[in-house]
Amino acid sequence: MADAKADAKSACKDVSKVAAAPAKKPRLDCIDGCRFALVFPIMVAHFARFATSNRTALKLLTQENVLVGGFFVISGYVSAYTTTKLGALGVEEKKVANPELFFWQRVMAYYPLHFVSSALFAPMFIWAERQFKASWNIIAFRAFLNFSMLQAWFPKEAEIWNQPTWFLSALTFSNLTMPTLVLPNVANLTKNGLQKLLGALWGLSLLQKVSYSETARFHSHFEHPVDGKVLMPLIWNLTRFHPIWALFEMTTGIIAVRQVMLDTPEEKKAKPVNPIWFFLAAYSSLLLRLTRFDFNDAIIRGVLFVPLFTEFLTAMHRDALSPSPSAITKFFGCKVMATLGSIAFPMFIVHGPIGQIFYKKVIARKLWGKPMPHTFFPCYLAICVSISYLTNEYFVKSKKVGAVAGKVAQVLAGWTQGMLRDGGN
């Protein structure tokens, strides 16, 4: 992270411009609503080849490895918005006073659903592995990685069992760094420092993407064709799954929201840019798959989609604070999108196992005789959305589940006290 002392002069200048007294943070429903715009196409992408045989459609629909970068950006954006000072440098000390508790509370916000869904579908996962002659030792190892959320560190095992949950593995590492390493240091940077740090992160990220592309292929029709046969799968998995790169994207979200939170009164009075242009530009980058500029997912994600999606979030944030928000900001902040955004996490977790029931050949043949036809795909989507809604209402929102998760977080924080900040005892 950049050294805050290097920007001391500009810090004084920036701090003098922002409000001296702490201001109340308005709720940003529009940011939550954006989660659905990411998770739904990801849910489609994972089983798109069972929805159509049209290669053009498949090229457009199978870009989940691009879209997932937006999830890490939003995670960082929300984390920093809720824990750092509005209109001033620094974190809200009470929020990170107990860094171990901060970390475990973040983990226990998503681990209960991951644990229950993994346990519920474990017989199916294990049975399927046995059909491919996996030994019990291998199955036990994969079960350990799944329940401990360590799979993202193992390129050969990143997509075990419920494939999308590698995201939780990478997210957990990022959360571990938040209360002591990332949030306090980034929150102490002025806008000048934030911009420099963002440039450094994007530069390092691009270097890794180019390194991968030079080793494999720069273009998607060679590197990641619609049949899913990747040229160098282990290197590709290190590129798309590795927790370090997820941390970079999460930090990008933190930098983005801090730039808005440090806006001066003069900047707040300026007319905000309509966020729709950044939204259209971000999602239009997916259309490059159909052109001769069909760069691989890593390049599109790091060079175009993540930067443009980040700009979209900051533009919408500023627009939401203006007297007359634009139509797209109102749309993502409306009740329907807020509800859909609230079920985005359950959708991300449950769509994988549900999809395996209907489309994974070894399982579908056992249950239905063969994978479901293309015409069934809308039913699959409807089932996923319905189950996600019920899961959110009766499990994620459950006060009993929340109470148990809170107690577990406190116990784990007690056991690991001093792990993230040495108290001197």
Side-chain angles (χ1 to χ4, degrees):
M1 296 301 169
D3 186 350
K5 291 184 179 179
D7 294 307
K9 292 184 179 180
S10 57
C12 294
K13 183 178 179 180
D14 283 2
V15 171
S16 66
K17 292 181 179 181
V18 297
K24 185 177 179 180
K25 300 172 186 175
R27 182 174 174 82
L28 299 175
D29 288 327
C30 56
I31 301 296
D32 289 334
C34 292
R35 297 179 193 271
F36 185 78
L38 293 169
V39 74
F40 188 79
I42 289 175
M43 183 174 69
V44 171
H46 281 146
F47 297 96
R49 63 193 182 93
F50 297 102
T52 180
S53 299
N54 184 284
R55 292 185 67 83
T56 299
L58 287 173
K59 285 182 179 181
L60 287 175
L61 295 175
T62 56
Q63 299 188 63
E64 67 275 17
N65 294 303
V66 176
L67 294 162
V68 74
F71 265 125
F72 288 113
V73 173
I74 285 185
S75 297
Y77 203 98
V78 174
S79 182
Y81 186 67
T82 56
T83 58
T84 63
K85 296 178 181 178
L86 179 62
L89 302 182
V91 295
E92 296 180 14
E93 293 298 336
K94 291 183 179 180
K95 299 282 182 69
V96 296
N98 187 336
E100 292 79 17
L101 182 60
F102 177 96
F103 166 65
W104 289 115
Q105 284 177 334
R106 291 296 188 275
V107 172
M108 293 310 297
Y110 51 78
Y111 189 76
L113 181 55
H114 171 62
F115 178 84
V116 170
S117 62
S118 295
L120 181 63
F121 289 100
M124 180 183 75
F125 298 142
I126 294 171
W127 180 84
E129 294 214 49
R130 290 295 291 169
Q131 304 311 299
F132 292 98
K133 309 301 181 183
S135 69
W136 286 109
N137 287 337
I138 291 295
I139 292 174
F141 177 61
R142 289 173 176 171
F144 167 74
L145 292 180
N146 174 78
F147 283 103
S148 62
M149 296 189 298
L150 293 174
Q151 63 266 44
W153 295 97
F154 296 80
K156 286 178 63 177
E157 313 294 346
E159 293 187 287
I160 55 171
W161 290 20
N162 187 3
Q163 295 178 356
T165 57
W166 72 265
F167 170 84
L168 300 183
S169 176
L171 181 65
T172 299
F173 168 72
S174 296
N175 281 330
L176 182 67
T177 69
M178 287 296 126
T180 55
L181 296 177
V182 179
L183 284 171
N185 287 291
V186 177
N188 278 321
L189 294 175
T190 64
K191 285 195 173 188
N192 181 46
L194 291 170
Q195 198 60 41
K196 291 177 179 177
L197 175 59
L198 183 63
L201 290 179
W202 282 356
L204 287 173
S205 177
L206 176 60
L207 179 64
Q208 190 274 331
K209 271 60 173 183
V210 172
S211 173
Y212 158 73
S213 302
E214 190 273 335
T215 304
R217 291 289 189 275
F218 275 93
H219 295 277
S220 65
H221 63 279
F222 289 118
E223 177 272 341
H224 193 203
V226 294
D227 60 9
K229 295 179 180 179
V230 183
L231 181 63
M232 296 184 177
L234 294 185
I235 300 177
W236 172 230
N237 285 351
L238 283 172
T239 297
R240 60 176 175 158
F241 293 146
H242 201 283
I244 292 295
W245 308 122
L247 175 61
F248 275 35
E249 290 176 335
M250 193 165 175
T251 305
T252 294
I254 294 171
I255 293 170
V257 74
R258 288 300 300 162
Q259 290 176 326
V260 179
M261 295 174 76
L262 290 177
D263 277 348
T264 64
E266 291 77 14
E267 290 171 324
K268 292 177 182 178
K269 292 178 183 177
K271 184 178 179 180
V273 177
N274 191 325
I276 194 170
W277 304 118
F278 291 114
F279 179 81
L280 292 176
Y283 280 83
S284 293
S285 67
L286 305 180
L287 296 175
L288 292 176
R289 271 268 187 104
L290 305 180
T291 72
R292 64 189 182 94
F293 301 106
D294 60 335
F295 296 107
N296 63 50
D297 288 354
I299 295 293
I300 296 298
R301 173 173 165 177
V303 177
L304 292 174
F305 185 81
V306 166
L308 288 169
F309 188 79
T310 303
E311 289 296 325
F312 162 64
L313 291 179
T314 57
M316 188 166 61
H317 186 165
R318 290 187 171 104
D319 190 45
L321 302 178
S322 68
S324 301
S326 62
I328 190 171
T329 302
K330 292 179 180 178
F331 171 73
F332 278 111
C334 72
K335 187 175 181 180
V336 173
M337 289 306 298
T339 300
L340 291 174
S342 70
I343 67 172
F345 171 60
M347 284 174 63
F348 194 79
I349 298 298
V350 306
H351 83 271
I354 294 173
Q356 290 186 43
I357 289 174
F358 296 119
Y359 297 118
K360 189 166 185 174
K361 288 182 179 179
V362 67
I363 297 172
R365 285 173 179 170
K366 185 70 175 180
L367 294 175
W368 325 108
K370 61 180 180 179
M372 290 295 182
H374 292 169
T375 54
F376 181 78
F377 199 75
C379 297
Y380 156 70
L381 295 178
I383 290 170
C384 287
V385 172
S386 300
I387 291 178
S388 298
Y389 176 79
L390 295 174
T391 301
N392 187 61
E393 290 296 314
Y394 298 104
F395 185 85
V396 176
K397 289 183 177 180
S398 171
K399 292 183 179 180
K400 291 183 179 179
V401 173
V404 172
K407 290 180 181 179
V408 172
Q410 290 181 344
V411 170
L412 292 173
W415 289 350
T416 57
Q417 193 69 40
M419 175 181 70
L420 299 177
R421 180 182 294 160
D422 192 350
N425 297 324

